[in-house]
Amino acid sequence: MWGYIHLISWVAIVLLTVVALVIYPKSTKSFTMLQMINRVFYILVILSGIMMVQYSVEQSWILAIFKILMGIIVIGVVEMLLSYRKSQKPTGMFLMIFVIVITVSLGFYLSGGYPLFN
C-alpha cells in the first residue's frame, strides 16, 4: 500500500510541477495553489518513504541511502524551481537538474535497481 501512495505522490509532484511551470505566466493565483498542493504531496512522499525504508535497508543499505538522497534532491529542486519561477529569476539550471534527476531515477527503477513494490 505504501508503495502505491509513494508512486502516485511522485507522479502527482511531477505533473503538478509541469502544470505550474506552464500556467505561471497566465495565472499567479493558480500557480500558488499548485505550489501548495505540491507541498502536501511532499509530505505524503516523505511519510510513505519512511514507512518503506525498512524494506530498502533489508535489501541494501547503500541503495536505501541513495534513494533517500535522490528523494530529498528532487523535492529540493522542485521547490527551488517553483520559487525561482515565482520570483521571475532564470530557472533553466533547476529545470535541467529536475529533468536529469527524474531521468536517472526512472532509469534506475526500470533497470531493476530498486523495486518499489515488495
Side-chain angles (χ1 to χ4, degrees), residues 65-83:
I65 291 171
F66 177 75
K67 287 166 48 176
I68 292 167
L69 289 176
M70 287 296 283
I72 291 170
I73 289 170
V74 170
I75 289 173
V77 167
V78 167
E79 192 61 31
M80 291 299 291
L81 181 64
L82 294 177
S83 298

Side-chain angles (χ1 to χ4, degrees), residues 4-52:
Y4 291 113
I5 292 171
H6 200 69
L7 181 65
I8 290 167
S9 297
W10 274 120
V11 169
I13 287 172
V14 171
L15 289 177
L16 287 170
T17 302
V18 170
V19 171
L21 289 173
V22 170
I23 208 170
Y24 178 70
K26 298 172 187 125
S27 173
T28 320
K29 190 174 183 180
S30 298
F31 177 85
T32 304
M33 258 188 348
L34 290 172
Q35 192 175 20
M36 293 300 164
I37 295 169
N38 230 356
R39 290 176 179 157
V40 171
F41 280 109
Y42 298 159
I43 294 169
L44 284 174
V45 163
I46 291 169
L47 290 176
S48 61
I50 288 171
M51 297 304 290
M52 293 188 326

Side-chain angles (χ1 to χ4, degrees), residues 7 70 99-112 114:
L7 181 65
M70 287 296 283
V99 169
I100 289 170
V101 168
I102 294 297
T103 304
V104 168
S105 297
L106 284 175
F108 192 61
Y109 173 72
L110 295 176
S111 71
Y114 57 93

